[in-house]
């Protein structure tokens, strides 16, 4: 009887693992777990470095600027939409406070010697020197050296003087770092694919060119990928305030979007924790979508799951497309609370698009998402966004990819992954017969509970 009970328990646990999208790797027997190494742990020397750098930052913020300073300050904003004047005066190795929960310091992971090697891919276009190189040094300073195969800087046809020969000389002196220049403006989407194609690591970590990694950021990401190669692992994104350069701790939030396919963040709730079986605040959690700038993924799986839609232009919407694609085609997206990377958030982008009107580019990109992945639900998007007139180009290749890989429906995605994307009300939807629940405008429950 006890043997039969044990078999039943094993079967039930296997069913739960499958329900949560865990791959075959999860069933392997792993070596004994290990604590983080010294490079990823806090110590007195690091604390003193933080205090010193914070003192410098505070002094710069209080300093009365001369005419030359003001000129430089305004020019920096015009080029980057952030306070480049301060960034240029902070150390390229500057430290910020450790934003991890204390529990993370006691967490154990798979041994470093079995974690995948990493190519950190950083795409840049007319980035400020200080933010670009600080991103690079934060990776090198706060990662176990054996895990970093390379840092690949992909220059998307920059034309600012400081990113020419001077950058080549600097990069030549930085360990494990190489520079790849594109001979035409390709846009973030295509530049990422180019970088991934030439990357030599077993895993890819994509970072924006204005980030600062915190201690212990890498091991938790790679641990999840090693356990399940179909996991896309995201760090918690701390904010670097674009004026004062202050670090602000990121919150535990799921990546989401609305019916206009606009990305946003939503606080993790108790209901989310119950659905996912989370018992600790440091446990990884599923996210319906990702912001797209900062994530880790197995290199082979990146291409296996379709990389990016090369019919999209520049940037905009590629994160939504990848989010739906990963989930419906058998992968999963997780946010990892013990991994923190800070990112400069600004009010608007300084980058130019290939088209005269960036909104047209983004509209066409989003239309491609709707046409390939949203089935009849695309009509809700079109009814709200009014983007149909911009077209979407040839999507036959992406539709064929979806068919060949037997990817699940958008309805499945709403039911099992994005369970709190509520159907809108008071809109006229073409083909609305597919959505009878729209006739209940005051009912805000998910459609499958009505």
């Amino acid at each position: 009887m006890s043997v039969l009970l044990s078999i039943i328990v094993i079967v039930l646990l296997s069913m739960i693992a499958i329900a949560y999208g865990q791959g075959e790797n999860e069933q392997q027997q792993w070596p004994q777990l290990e604590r983080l190494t010294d490079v990823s742990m806090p110590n007195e020397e690091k604390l003193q470095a933080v205090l010193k750098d914070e003192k410098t930052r505070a002094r710069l913020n209080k300093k009365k600027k001369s005419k030359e300073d003001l000129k430089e300050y305004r020019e920096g904003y015009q080029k980057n939409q952030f306070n480049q004047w301060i960034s240029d005066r902070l150390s390229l190795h500057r430290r910020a406070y450790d934003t991890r929960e204390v529990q993370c310091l006691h967490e154990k992971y798979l041994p470093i010697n079995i974690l995948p090697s990493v190519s950190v891919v950083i795409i840049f276009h007319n980035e400020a020197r200080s933010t670009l190189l600080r991103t690079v040094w934060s990776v090198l300073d706060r990662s176990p050296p054996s895990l970093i195969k390379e840092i690949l800087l992909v220059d998307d046809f920059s034309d600012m003087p400081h990113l020419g020969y001077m950058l080549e000389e600097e990069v030549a002196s930085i360990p494990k770092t190489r520079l790849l220049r594109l001979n035409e403006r390709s846009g973030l989407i295509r530049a990422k694919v180019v970088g991934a194609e030439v990357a030599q690591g077993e895993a890819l970590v994509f970072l924006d060119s204005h980030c600062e990694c915190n201690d212990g950021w890498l091991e938790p990401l790679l641990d999840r990928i090693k356990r399940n190669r179909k996991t896309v692992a995201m760090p918690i994104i701390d904010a670097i305030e674009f004026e004062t350069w202050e670090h602000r701790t990121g919150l535990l939030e799921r990546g989401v979007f609305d019916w206009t396919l606009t990305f946003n963040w939503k606080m993790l709730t108790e209901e989310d924790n119950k659905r996912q079986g989370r018992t600790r605040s440091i446990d990884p959690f599923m996210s319906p979508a990702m912001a797209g700038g900062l994530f880790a993924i197995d290199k082979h799986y990146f291409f296996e799951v379709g990389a990016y839609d090369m019919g999209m232009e520049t940037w905009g919407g590629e994160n939504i497309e990848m989010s739906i694609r990963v989930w419906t085609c058998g992968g999963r997206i997780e946010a990892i609370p013990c991994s923190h990377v800070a990112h400069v958030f600004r009010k608007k982008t300084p980058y130019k698009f290939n088209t005269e009107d960036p909104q047209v580019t983004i509209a066409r990109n989003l239309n491609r998402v709707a046409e390939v992945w949203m089935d009849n639900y695309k009509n809700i998007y079109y009814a709200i966004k009014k983007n149909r007139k911009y077209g979407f180009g040839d999507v036959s290749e992406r539709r064929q990819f979806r068919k060949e890989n037997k990817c699940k429906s958008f309805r499945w995605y709403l039911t099992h992954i994005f369970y709190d994307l509520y159907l809108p009300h008071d809109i006229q939807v073409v083909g609305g017969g597919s959505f009878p629940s729209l006739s209940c405008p005051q009912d805000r429950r998910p459609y499958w509970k009505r």
Side-chain angles (χ1 to χ4, degrees):
M1 186 69 180
S2 60
V3 174
L4 178 61
L5 182 60
S6 299
I7 293 173
I8 293 173
V9 169
I10 292 172
V11 170
L12 287 174
L13 289 174
S14 299
M15 291 175 65
I16 292 172
I18 293 171
Y20 277 94
Q22 294 173 340
E24 63 277 5
N25 300 43
E26 283 286 359
Q27 308 306 318
Q28 294 185 16
Q29 294 296 317
W30 299 109
Q32 185 173 358
L33 302 182
E34 297 178 353
R35 290 185 181 274
L36 293 170
T37 59
D38 289 345
V39 71
S40 299
M41 295 293 285
N43 58 39
E44 182 62 26
E45 181 181 355
K46 292 178 181 179
L47 175 60
Q48 292 304 316
V50 170
L51 296 176
K52 178 182 177 181
D53 289 335
E54 278 295 288
K55 185 177 180 180
T56 300
R57 188 187 65 81
R59 175 177 55 78
L60 290 170
N61 274 290
K62 292 178 180 178
K63 179 183 177 183
K64 185 176 181 180
K65 297 180 181 62
S66 65
K67 288 184 178 181
E68 291 75 15
D69 289 336
L70 287 171
K71 180 182 178 183
E72 184 182 341
Y73 172 85
R74 295 188 186 105
E75 288 177 349
Y77 257 104
Q78 185 177 6
K79 294 175 181 176
N80 300 287
Q81 295 300 316
F82 57 61
N83 189 347
Q84 183 184 341
W85 182 87
I86 277 190
S87 178
D88 290 349
R89 287 160 175 77
L90 293 173
S91 168
L92 296 180
H93 302 268
R94 80 128 171 181
R95 281 193 166 273
Y97 289 105
D98 195 329
T99 53
R100 294 173 291 179
E101 288 194 38
V102 174
Q103 281 182 279
C104 294
L105 305 180
H106 305 290
E107 192 71 346
K108 293 182 178 181
Y109 301 98
L110 295 173
I112 283 181
N113 62 359
I114 70 167
L115 293 179
S117 62
V118 171
S119 289
V120 179
V121 181
I122 302 171
I123 313 300
F124 70 95
H125 173 74
N126 287 341
E127 183 66 53
R129 169 192 171 275
S130 58
T131 47
L132 176 62
L133 295 183
R134 192 176 296 116
T135 303
V136 172
W137 281 112
S138 74
V139 171
L140 294 172
D141 290 345
R142 287 148 214 165
S143 307
S146 61
L147 293 179
I148 302 297
K149 178 70 173 181
E150 63 181 345
I151 300 175
L152 183 57
L153 301 180
V154 182
D155 176 14
D156 189 16
F157 207 55
S158 299
D159 57 12
M160 291 184 176
H162 69 273
L163 297 174
Y165 180 70
M166 290 186 291
L167 179 64
E168 293 176 6
E169 285 194 321
E170 288 192 275
V171 169
S173 66
I174 300 176
K176 299 184 178 182
T177 304
R178 59 190 178 116
L179 179 63
L180 173 65
R181 295 197 187 274
L182 305 185
N183 56 16
E184 63 178 358
R185 183 85 159 97
S186 300
L188 180 65
I189 298 167
R190 294 174 187 171
K192 280 187 172 182
V193 176
V194 172
E197 287 174 340
V198 302
Q200 300 172 357
E202 298 167 311
L204 305 171
V205 175
F206 291 99
L207 294 179
D208 284 345
S209 54
H210 32 267
C211 292
E212 295 176 28
C213 302
N214 215 319
D215 286 329
W217 73 286
L218 186 56
E219 299 95 312
L221 301 177
L222 299 182
D223 179 272
R224 299 305 292 176
I225 292 173
K226 184 65 178 180
R227 292 172 185 272
N228 178 0
R229 63 177 293 270
K230 293 185 178 182
T231 294
V232 180
M234 306 183 300
I236 300 302
I237 304 178
D238 297 339
I240 300 176
E241 210 282 326
F242 65 89
E243 172 61 27
T244 66
W245 236 247
E246 177 188 9
H247 277 238
R248 296 177 180 175
T249 306
L251 303 175
L252 299 190
E253 297 175 307
R254 295 157 63 232
V256 297
F257 54 87
D258 58 24
W259 286 102
T260 69
L261 302 186
T262 301
F263 179 84
N264 214 324
W265 297 102
K266 188 173 184 178
M267 286 292 295
L268 199 66
T269 66
E270 281 303 315
E271 181 183 355
D272 297 324
N273 290 332
K274 289 179 182 178
R275 280 177 174 270
Q276 300 186 32
R278 295 182 76 246
T279 58
R280 305 180 303 165
S281 60
I282 65 170
D283 288 336
F285 56 91
M286 299 189 305
S287 180
M290 59 180 179
L294 287 64
F295 66 93
I297 186 171
D298 176 90
K299 178 181 175 177
H300 293 299
Y301 182 62
F302 176 74
F303 290 103
E304 181 184 313
V305 79
Y308 281 111
D309 179 357
M310 299 297 274
M312 289 185 170
E313 293 287 343
T314 315
W315 68 266
E318 77 282 355
N319 59 319
I320 305 298
E321 191 269 349
M322 187 174 185
S323 299
I324 300 172
R325 172 165 42 87
V326 166
W327 276 116
T328 59
C329 298
R332 59 190 287 109
I333 300 171
E334 292 183 347
I336 316 300
C338 286
S339 173
H340 282 251
V341 178
H343 176 272
V344 181
F345 288 96
R346 43 198 169 190
K347 291 183 178 179
K348 63 179 182 179
T349 178
Y351 308 128
K352 296 180 180 179
F353 282 66
N354 289 336
T355 55
E356 291 185 5
D357 185 355
Q359 295 308 314
V360 173
T361 297
I362 295 174
R364 290 186 74 258
N365 288 351
L366 294 177
N367 288 356
R368 293 179 67 86
V369 178
E371 290 293 331
V372 176
W373 298 103
M374 293 183 69
D375 305 323
N376 286 339
Y377 290 88
K378 69 183 180 182
N379 295 313
I380 299 179
Y381 157 75
Y382 281 129
I384 297 174
K385 197 65 176 173
K386 315 295 185 192
N387 273 349
R388 200 185 295 265
K389 60 186 176 183
Y390 298 118
F392 48 84
D394 183 3
V395 294
S396 58
E397 185 178 327
R398 299 305 278 183
R399 284 174 173 168
Q400 184 65 23
F401 172 88
R402 184 184 182 191
K403 181 179 179 180
E404 290 177 353
N405 287 273
K406 300 178 181 179
C407 301
K408 296 181 174 66
S409 67
F410 193 72
R411 182 183 179 112
W412 175 90
Y413 176 69
L414 293 179
T415 304
H416 296 280
I417 307 303
F418 200 175
Y419 42 79
D420 50 349
L421 177 60
Y422 301 104
L423 289 171
H425 58 85
D426 296 336
I427 64 169
Q428 293 183 345
V429 180
V430 177
S434 301
F435 309 99
S437 56
L438 292 177
S439 61
C440 307
Q442 302 305 319
D443 195 336
R444 303 296 290 171
R445 292 174 296 167
Y447 69 90
W448 65 90
K449 288 187 177 180
R450 295 177 183 175

